[in-house]
Amino acid sequence: MAQGANRTTAQVVGVVVLAAAVTGFLAVAAVRHGFFDLKVYYGALTWWVHDGGEIYDYLKPGTQYGFTYPPFAALVMLPMAYLPWTAAIVVSVLASVATTTVLIWWLVDPIARRAGWTRWFALAVALCLAAAFEPMRETVNFGQVNTLLLFLVAVDLLRLLPAGNRWAGVGIGLATAIKLTPGVFIVYLLVTGRWRAALTASGTAAGVSLLAAALFPDASREFWTEALWNTGRVGELAFVSNQSLRGVVARLDPEHPSTLLWLLLVLGTLALWAWRSRAAVAAGDEATGLALTGAVMCLVSPVTWVHHLVWLLPALILLVDNAMAAPAGRRRQVLLVAATIGYALLISRTVWLWEKDFSGVDGFLGSNAYVWVSLALLAFLPIRRWLTPNGSVVEASGVPQLDQPDRRAPTGQRHLVGRPLTVR
């Protein structure tokens, strides 16, 4: 009992110290955006609901930024128009924190149970580290919807689809109708042969979009015929915050970026993603399918601002998952080092050193640092399967678990594969 109490006390102290360190880091490193994007949403909805304007005609005063999401997103956000500004901030922050907490719990808890870590402690440490993650802190500071979309997709891929639930695909469909880029997950379902889930996702996206069109015909007409195609509303492609392949190409020649080069890079990246995604699903590894598709979405989207890179969070956690499941040795060390380097880069604001001048070799390498992380995760994130002696896949909490390192375990220890250690 005394040993357990001492361990708990040490863990509480450790979490408090880590939280204090992260708070200090954020006080120095985090940029205050004053909920800029949330102000755009709030202003557009207020203009639309209370002032009689058209939502897609609104621009935040003094800027070129307006509401860029489909009409269904406006329907989802509509209650914001009836809230005080402070209440809108509170709802935005709480939604980001809640969805992030649940997602991290789904991904970290299986690691904790297998490794014998105290589960609340593992979650608390992961949440502290997530708070320092630049895309996460940017999402909260801007008042963005990234974690909500990631959560909706994760519900499908980590919970419903592995369980064979007939509602699998609804979350992806809703996320796609809110913001078009998660539609790549419908392609993921098609590429990996999950036709029913793909149909459910497509039907959901189409159904709620038609609902929005019926409720807001003028707004829907303007979005699908005009606002969607007005790329000037989203910002400058060469801006260093655009950590996509399109951003890489634009920074090579901001005045005349090569569309052909970008398309060739996109095609090559999609081919790699399709091959690895099919391999992941063949191995029963839906979590890695989620991570790979999140990474490719960031790469092939014409605009991937830094805050959009919250989609890389599952891949970083899965690197740690693979490392902890591997036998002690070189493989574990390599995976932990890779996870540490990727995480360190994505909390560092490294790309902003080249915000004003991204010319030269150093500018090419440094201004695109987060793109290189995305590419590395897409190409090298391990595909995982755990096998019992009878050849069946072991799952924990609905999330398929790890791969080939365990198949190299000594024959006499194979019966231990996949069994979480008892937490005392």
Side-chain angles (χ1 to χ4, degrees):
M1 291 291 292
Q3 184 178 1
N6 290 337
R7 182 187 186 190
T8 299
T9 300
Q11 289 174 337
V12 170
V13 172
V15 169
V16 170
V17 171
L18 179 59
V22 169
T23 300
F25 172 77
L26 293 177
V28 174
V31 176
R32 305 297 187 269
H33 298 293
F35 299 98
F36 183 95
D37 289 358
L38 189 64
K39 284 180 179 176
V40 173
Y41 311 151
Y42 189 82
L45 289 164
T46 300
W47 162 264
W48 187 36
V49 173
H50 300 296
D51 298 331
E54 180 53 66
I55 190 168
Y56 294 108
D57 292 339
Y58 174 84
L59 294 178
K60 187 177 182 296
T63 76
Q64 62 181 354
Y65 296 104
F67 195 85
T68 58
Y69 296 163
F72 179 68
L75 176 61
V76 172
M77 296 181 186
L78 193 59
M80 190 189 304
Y82 301 94
L83 293 177
W85 169 239
T86 302
I89 293 175
V90 171
V91 170
S92 173
V93 172
L94 288 178
S96 292
V97 170
T99 51
T100 300
T101 300
V102 174
L103 175 66
I104 289 178
W105 173 257
W106 286 344
L107 293 170
V108 169
D109 186 58
I111 312 174
R113 289 190 289 112
R114 287 199 316 271
W117 300 339
T118 305
R119 294 160 73 186
W120 73 261
F121 177 69
L123 176 64
V125 170
L127 288 175
C128 287
L129 295 177
F133 190 56
E134 184 178 353
M136 187 64 67
R137 66 186 193 239
E138 293 278 286
T139 287
V140 174
N141 277 325
F142 273 115
Q144 264 283 343
V145 299
N146 303 309
T147 60
L148 171 62
L149 302 179
L150 177 53
F151 173 76
L152 287 172
V153 172
V155 169
D156 274 345
L157 298 188
L158 300 185
R159 316 309 286 184
L160 301 183
L161 203 57
N165 192 294
R166 64 191 181 92
W167 294 103
V170 169
I172 291 172
L174 291 174
T176 302
I178 292 172
K179 186 175 182 179
L180 299 178
T181 48
V184 71
F185 285 93
I186 299 178
V187 182
Y188 165 72
L189 294 173
L190 292 171
V191 164
T192 54
R194 272 75 64 79
W195 310 109
R196 177 171 179 169
L199 182 61
T200 300
S202 301
T204 300
V208 296
S209 296
L210 288 173
L211 172 63
L215 294 173
F216 317 124
D218 292 338
S220 296
R221 187 181 309 108
E222 181 167 356
F223 175 79
W224 295 109
T225 61
E226 296 182 30
L228 174 62
W229 313 104
N230 184 1
T231 56
R233 294 166 63 92
V234 298
E236 176 58 45
L237 291 175
F239 183 43
V240 76
S241 183
N242 184 13
Q243 291 293 301
S244 69
L245 293 173
R246 185 64 162 154
V248 172
V249 172
R251 283 186 287 277
L252 287 174
D253 185 358
E255 296 298 324
H256 305 286
S258 172
T259 300
L260 177 60
L261 175 59
W262 173 58
L263 290 176
L264 290 174
L265 290 173
V266 165
L267 288 175
T269 302
L270 288 173
L272 174 62
W273 162 74
W275 172 59
R276 301 214 71 219
S277 294
R278 288 175 62 86
V281 170
D285 188 0
E286 208 69 67
T288 296
L290 164 65
L292 294 174
T293 307
V296 84
M297 184 180 73
C298 294
L299 289 166
V300 304
S301 174
V303 175
T304 298
W305 302 135
V306 168
H307 57 79
H308 295 151
L309 296 175
V310 294
W311 291 91
L312 299 184
L313 190 61
L316 292 174
I317 294 174
L318 292 178
L319 274 180
V320 177
D321 195 342
N322 278 275
M324 297 312 300
R330 181 172 178 78
R331 178 181 172 85
R332 176 177 289 186
Q333 293 171 355
V334 168
L335 290 172
L336 287 176
V337 167
T340 301
I341 291 173
Y343 175 76
L345 280 173
L346 286 164
I347 70 170
S348 66
R349 288 186 56 81
T350 295
V351 298
W352 299 98
L353 295 174
W354 289 272
E355 180 181 3
K356 302 298 183 183
D357 181 8
F358 36 76
S359 60
V361 174
D362 66 312
F364 175 72
L365 295 176
S367 70
N368 300 308
Y370 301 168
V371 178
W372 312 142
V373 174
S374 298
L375 283 169
L377 291 170
L378 177 63
F380 300 113
L381 181 66
I383 293 170
R384 319 170 307 155
R385 174 182 283 170
W386 272 16
L387 300 180
T388 62
N390 65 9
S392 61
V393 178
V394 177
E395 297 186 1
S397 300
V399 182
Q401 297 305 307
L402 276 147
D403 74 334
Q404 62 271 18
D406 302 294
R407 296 205 292 271
R408 296 199 297 268
T411 302
Q413 299 177 15
R414 295 275 174 87
H415 67 287
L416 298 176
V417 172
R419 294 187 180 181
L421 300 177
T422 302
V423 179
R424 299 185 184 278

